[in-house]
Amino acid sequence: TYDADIERAINTVKELLISQPDVSNVLQPEVGIPAFSDSSVNIEQRYWAPSSRYYPTTHSQTWQFFNAFKQAEIDIPLPQRAIRWLEK
């Protein structure tokens, strides 16, 4: 969310990527803000990993991001809609 500590969130993602054994340490991972959404600041990651390990690496790091954000109390926003009932 816009209230989250974005710098801490980006640093958390960087640290987790660097710690992944299948993520290249020669070509450093890139993490940044590509866009702003309705209720969130989007964080994007880019890294190099062997093609044969792409999906296991992605699945593992996504799970680790989720747990690290939860532990650090960094909110992951959910889409929200306001609905009004109109009487005829």
Side-chain angles (χ1 to χ4, degrees):
T1 67
Y2 283 99
D3 295 331
D5 184 344
I6 302 304
E7 188 172 344
R8 185 170 64 163
I10 288 173
N11 287 335
T12 298
V13 171
K14 283 181 185 177
E15 290 170 11
L16 287 172
L17 284 171
I18 290 168
S19 72
Q20 290 283 322
D22 289 324
V23 172
S24 173
N25 60 2
V26 175
L27 300 168
Q28 291 295 309
E30 297 176 18
V31 181
I33 299 171
F36 299 98
S37 292
D38 292 340
S39 60
S40 68
V41 176
N42 298 347
I43 298 174
E44 183 177 72
Q45 59 182 329
R46 193 174 175 117
Y47 61 91
W48 293 93
S51 297
S52 62
R53 299 285 308 151
Y54 175 76
Y55 289 108
T57 301
T58 299
H59 296 159
S60 172
Q61 72 189 24
T62 302
W63 181 251
Q64 289 181 40
F65 295 154
F66 175 78
N67 286 326
F69 284 1
K70 192 173 183 179
Q71 183 178 3
E73 297 180 353
I74 298 170
D75 290 333
I76 298 173
L78 299 172
Q80 299 178 15
R81 298 275 188 256
I83 300 174
R84 294 185 324 154
W85 293 102
L86 300 176
E87 298 291 328
K88 285 191 175 188

